[in-house]
């Protein structure tokens, strides 16, 4: 009797993964979904907190008008995130960093779960919920160590008011961060786009840059996105199930009992 094991990972991708030298991975909220972090969009839904759509509460305009409300939202999220752990998708990506000559992880996520899984030198396009930044002197403080659990923190250096060190809607990304990610996208041979709805720019431009420069681009997402059409392959499914399969080099195509 013959049992055929059909893999979701194509032979083409397997071969390219085996010989790739320069790999870029762009991740979004979907990579953390299996850890229990809610996504912003997907399955036809938009995240809402206390009656406010996230693009209102997570906006530069809201921060200017009502900083305490923005801190309440981020303090709440840090409280939830403290209890969550990286999943097999974060772990697979962390393993990949030592596998290629050059490996660049670019994330839109602010949850710190890539670091928790062991990824180093993560390019955090949208900052981190685990840092605060002073509005007066720009000094940053690490909120993991901080005793502050509620309210608006004050700067230890100058006493000024601090804000979450994240990039809200309508705000510029930190200087040079996108440029660094774009530079590696321009020279990579393989680019993975994992768990992002690919509607927020400039992050969504990273795979476009890689594709235009000749890289093989693979999307991993249970849903199609505006980027699907430019990707060489869209692997439809959960990142935590698909990414560990990609690194499996042994595939039993037609095993005999
Ligand atoms: C799974 C899964 C599983 C589920 N496995 N997958 C008009 C045109 C073009 C651009 C603009 C425009 N108007 C304004 C802009 C600019 C704006 C923008 O792009 N807006 C678009 C939405 C239209 N961009 C900005 O404002 C950026 N700044 C900027 O451009 O500066 C210049 C400028 C200044 C002034 C004016 C105009 C321009 C900054 C963007 C910062 C984004 N910040 C946020 C909030 C961070 C803080 C916080 O966390 O609260 O970042 S928004 C939010 O979206 C968050 C995310 O990083 C980002 C991207 O979301 P992501 O990661 O893609 O998640 P989801 O939820 O959208 O998708 C999840 C996906 O996972 C889905 O596809 C699921 O199917 C999938 N999934 N389970 C794998 N198990
Ligand atoms: Zn300060």
């Amino acid at each position: 009797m013959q049992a055929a094991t059909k893999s979701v990972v194509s032979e083409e991708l397997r071969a390219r993964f085996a010989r790739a030298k320069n790999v870029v991975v762009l991740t979004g909220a979907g990579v953390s979904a299996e850890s229990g972090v809610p996504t912003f969009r997907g399955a036809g839904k938009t995240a809402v907190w206390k009656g406010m759509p996230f693009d209102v509460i997570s906006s530069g305009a809201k921060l200017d008008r009502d900083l305490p409300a923005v801190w309440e939202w981020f303090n709440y999220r840090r409280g939830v995130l403290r209890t969550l752990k990286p999943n097999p998708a974060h772990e697979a990506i962390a393993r990949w960093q030592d596998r290629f000559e050059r490996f660049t992880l670019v994330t839109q996520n602010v949850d710190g779960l890539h670091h928790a899984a062991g990824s180093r030198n993560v390019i955090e396009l949208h900052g981190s919920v685990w840092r605060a930044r002073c509005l007066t002197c720009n000094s940053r403080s690490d909120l993991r160590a901080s005793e502050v659990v509620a309210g608006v923190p004050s700067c230890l250096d100058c006493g000024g008011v601090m804000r979450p060190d994240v990039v809200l809607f309508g705000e510029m990304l930190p200087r040079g961060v996108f440029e660094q990610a774009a530079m590696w996208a321009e020279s990579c041979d393989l680019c993975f786009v994992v768990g992002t709805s690919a509607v927020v720019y400039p992050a969504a431009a990273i795979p476009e840059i890689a594709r235009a420069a000749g890289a093989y681009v693979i999307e991993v997402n249970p849903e199609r996105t505006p980027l699907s059409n430019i990707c060489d392959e869209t692997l439809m499914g959960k990142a935590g199930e698909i990414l560990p399969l990609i690194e499996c080099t042994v595939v039993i195509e037609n095993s005999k009992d």
Side-chain angles (χ1 to χ4, degrees):
M1 182 184 139
Q2 285 204 331
T5 308
K6 192 85 181 119
S7 170
V8 289
V9 182
S10 70
E11 283 308 310
E12 170 80 19
L13 172 52
R14 232 171 257 291
R16 285 182 181 268
F17 191 79
R19 67 170 187 261
K21 296 209 172 341
N22 187 342
V23 175
V24 168
V25 177
L26 171 70
T27 63
V31 83
S32 297
E34 290 156 82
S35 293
V37 183
T39 60
F40 299 93
R41 314 169 186 83
K45 292 190 194 136
T46 302
V48 172
W49 188 70
K50 293 199 168 179
M52 274 174 285
F54 77 90
D55 53 355
V56 172
I57 185 71
S58 280
S59 70
K62 183 72 180 174
L63 184 128
D64 291 344
R65 278 198 316 273
D66 193 352
L67 182 63
V70 174
W71 268 113
E72 197 188 340
W73 159 235
F74 279 94
N75 290 339
Y76 161 77
R77 286 165 68 190
R78 281 203 323 284
V80 173
L81 285 170
R82 270 186 206 285
T83 66
L84 303 181
K85 297 210 167 0
N87 67 56
H90 299 106
E91 287 160 4
I93 292 168
R95 283 193 297 274
W96 294 0
Q97 69 193 338
D98 296 319
R99 193 180 173 125
F100 305 98
E101 268 176 33
R102 171 77 216 180
F103 180 83
T104 309
L105 173 56
V106 185
T107 190
Q108 299 169 81
N109 297 347
V110 295
D111 57 30
L113 287 173
H114 283 302
H115 287 106
S119 284
R120 305 180 297 270
N121 308 319
V122 186
I123 299 180
E124 292 181 318
L125 291 176
H126 297 162
S128 170
V129 296
W130 299 106
R131 287 191 308 268
R133 190 174 84 235
C134 178
L135 287 168
T136 307
C137 74
N138 230 23
S139 162
R140 288 177 167 80
S141 72
D142 183 350
L143 295 174
R144 281 181 204 273
S146 157
E147 293 297 312
V148 178
V149 287
V152 178
S154 302
C155 175
L156 293 174
D157 292 333
C158 77
V161 169
M162 302 197 90
R163 58 162 288 169
D165 194 17
V166 297
V167 183
L168 302 169
F169 269 117
E171 295 186 325
M172 305 299 281
L173 272 59
R175 189 190 299 265
V177 169
F178 175 75
E179 290 73 10
Q180 197 193 356
M183 180 188 80
W184 289 115
E186 262 170 24
S187 62
C188 72
D189 39 43
L190 200 53
C191 174
F192 289 91
V193 195
V194 185
T196 175
S197 57
V199 293
V200 173
Y201 279 83
I206 299 289
E208 294 174 340
I209 292 168
R211 187 73 189 82
Y216 195 75
V217 182
I218 305 103
E219 179 175 55
V220 180
N221 199 311
E223 297 180 7
R224 287 182 67 80
T225 75
L227 279 183
S228 301
N229 286 341
I230 68 140
C231 289
D232 293 284
E233 297 188 28
T234 294
L235 304 183
M236 300 211 43
K238 295 182 175 179
E241 293 171 5
I242 290 180
L243 294 189
L245 293 178
I246 292 170
E247 65 198 330
C248 287
T249 47
V250 180
V251 195
I252 305 161
E253 281 295 353
N254 282 302
S255 67
K256 288 185 181 171
D257 283 352

